[in-house]
Amino acid sequence: MNARKVIIDCDPGIDDALALMLAVKSKELDILGITTVCGNVDAHKGAENALKILKKMNREDIPVYIGENKPLKRVYVDARDTHGQDGLGETEISLGEESKLYKDGAGFIRDQLEIAAASGEKVSIIALGPLTNIAKVLELYPDCLEGLDEFVSMGGTFKSHGNCSPVAEYNYWCDPHSAKIVYEAFSKKDSLKDKLIYMVGLDVTRKIVLTPNILEYMKDLNEDLGSLIEEITRFYFNFHWKQEEVIGCVINDPLAVAYFYDRSVCEGRPFYTTITTEGESIGESIVDEFDFWKRPKNSFVLEKTKPLKFFSLFIEKVFDCKKEEIEPILKQIIASEEN
């Protein structure tokens, strides 16, 4: 198998932590590095959290770079109310003394894209947080984009309601100006040619709910790893129940990682999309479903997903299981929860 070279840009974050677990256990990915951005927590805390997960997963070989620590224009608003003060559900997992962090996340992204362009290879980006680092790269180093293969962004919403306002999803709401820059860059098509942003928004991620039954099954498969996930997500479970009366927690970011290398997990369509930067609808992702503006399509917006397929993939990878053994059990669990 030829693993695809990727950079994971994130803001860990509970669901980012689960996404990193999936990513580092996926042989389909050759992770060049992880960059962090201010979002759920500040960029430095996010980088520390990324290192904590890498250490737990025995993947400290992957470098972590601290990226932008404030949005492009608006005042930074974190999501510690959702993820806890430490970003990992108030677990306060120890980092240790030997772990090393690097600076200049945007510079790292630029360097890797330039290396890829010069060598004829390609590097993809899976962005799980606000798009501040990506916007900086686009504005300061536009010539490096020839090295970009695919761009997947967990963010936005199409027909589902928002989670920061009636219309806005957090990542794009946190830094709407950067999100707009990125989407507009993909509509201009210069060095990006015919590339699209794969928008993994709330329409599909809201369907990916980690329930108590699925969590217990994970613990049965591997007590230590399952208990770690339980510890990290406990705060998230409580938040979702108080805010949305959901029994379980929505884990947005792992779906973006899964979709990157298994397109059968979701379905979508290409559209022109832009982001609102002012007013009550700030952060809204406006998807031109009926081609009203007649503008070049810059996004592939996901609309449907398959929770059973996702959780089968997640558990197969993270817990080193065989799909044919776990899928029937997951099917029973999910079916029982739907009835």
Side-chain angles (χ1 to χ4, degrees):
M1 178 185 297
N2 293 322
R4 299 173 64 187
K5 296 181 182 297
V6 299
I7 297 168
I8 299 178
D9 189 63
C10 56
D11 58 337
I14 293 169
D15 54 333
D16 300 75
L18 300 185
L20 291 176
M21 290 181 184
L22 175 60
V24 301
K25 294 286 283 187
S26 298
K27 295 180 180 178
E28 295 86 350
L29 306 183
D30 176 10
I31 304 172
L32 302 177
I34 295 168
T35 55
T36 62
V37 63
C38 63
N40 294 322
V41 290
D42 63 84
H44 191 277
K45 173 59 71 174
E48 291 182 339
N49 289 343
L51 281 178
K52 291 175 183 179
I53 298 303
L54 292 178
K55 188 172 184 178
K56 290 287 186 180
M57 303 301 289
N58 296 314
R59 287 302 309 273
E60 292 177 275
D61 57 297
I62 301 173
V64 178
Y65 291 79
I66 303 169
E68 297 302 295
N69 208 36
K70 63 179 181 179
L72 194 63
K73 292 185 179 181
R74 74 171 302 188
V75 175
Y76 171 45
V77 180
D78 63 39
R80 293 175 191 259
D81 61 329
T82 307
H83 296 264
Q85 290 302 306
D86 67 343
L88 292 179
E90 309 288 8
T91 55
E92 297 298 341
I93 297 171
S94 175
L95 180 58
E97 298 179 358
E98 298 181 359
S99 301
K100 184 176 182 180
L101 289 172
Y102 300 91
K103 297 181 179 179
D104 193 12
F108 172 76
I109 295 172
R110 173 206 61 198
D111 291 344
Q112 295 304 313
L113 289 173
E114 287 182 343
I115 291 170
S119 65
E121 296 183 352
K122 296 289 183 180
V123 172
S124 296
I125 297 173
I126 304 174
L128 305 177
L131 298 179
T132 318
N133 287 335
I134 314 304
K136 182 173 181 179
V137 171
L138 288 169
E139 288 201 307
L140 298 181
Y141 319 114
D143 294 339
C144 72
L145 297 176
E146 291 182 5
L148 180 67
D149 185 8
E150 291 187 333
F151 186 84
V152 175
S153 170
M154 190 278 119
T157 184
F158 180 16
K159 295 184 179 180
S160 183
H161 61 86
N163 58 10
C164 286
S165 78
V167 296
E169 176 275 332
Y170 174 76
N171 285 340
Y172 294 177
W173 176 88
C174 180
D175 190 351
H177 299 89
S178 287
K180 186 178 180 68
I181 286 172
V182 174
Y183 274 84
E184 290 306 303
F186 275 77
S187 68
K188 292 176 182 176
K189 302 298 182 186
D190 295 333
S191 56
L192 292 169
K193 297 180 181 178
D194 296 324
K195 298 186 186 303
L196 300 175
I197 297 170
Y198 291 93
M199 189 179 104
V200 187
L202 297 180
D203 297 81
V204 287
T205 64
R206 273 206 169 97
K207 305 296 183 182
I208 307 301
V209 181
L210 176 61
T211 64
N213 288 335
I214 295 176
L215 185 55
E216 284 301 315
Y217 181 47
M218 290 180 178
K219 290 168 63 180
D220 286 341
L221 292 170
N222 184 315
E223 179 67 27
D224 291 339
L225 187 53
S227 295
L228 173 63
I229 292 175
E230 180 181 46
E231 184 180 7
I232 291 172
T233 58
R234 185 177 293 113
F235 190 95
Y236 220 24
F237 269 68
N238 293 335
F239 174 85
H240 277 83
W241 174 248
K242 292 176 182 177
Q243 294 296 316
E244 301 182 16
E245 295 188 352
V246 171
I247 300 177
C249 61
V250 176
I251 51 173
N252 305 282
D253 294 334
L255 183 61
V257 173
Y259 178 74
F260 175 74
Y261 63 82
D262 188 345
R263 295 297 156 85
S264 67
V265 173
C266 297
E267 299 175 15
R269 292 178 287 165
F271 299 110
Y272 171 80
T273 298
T274 190
I275 311 300
T276 302
T277 58
E278 304 293 340
E280 291 186 335
S281 60
I282 189 170
E284 179 183 10
S285 44
I286 303 174
V287 179
D288 188 5
E289 180 178 10
F290 301 105
D291 200 22
F292 182 85
W293 285 319
K294 307 296 181 185
R295 295 174 183 171
K297 293 176 173 57
N298 60 354
S299 60
F300 190 87
V301 179
L302 303 187
E303 302 175 89
K304 298 179 182 179
T305 190
K306 303 173 181 127
L308 173 60
K309 192 171 189 67
F310 165 78
F311 277 109
S312 294
L313 184 151
F314 182 88
I315 293 176
E316 176 190 359
K317 301 290 187 182
V318 176
F319 289 83
D320 294 316
C321 296
K322 294 181 179 180
K323 178 181 178 181
E324 59 268 22
E325 295 177 354
I326 61 175
E327 193 168 76
I329 299 172
L330 281 170
K331 189 174 183 178
Q332 291 181 34
I333 293 173
I334 292 174
S336 68
E337 293 172 339
E338 290 176 344
N339 295 332

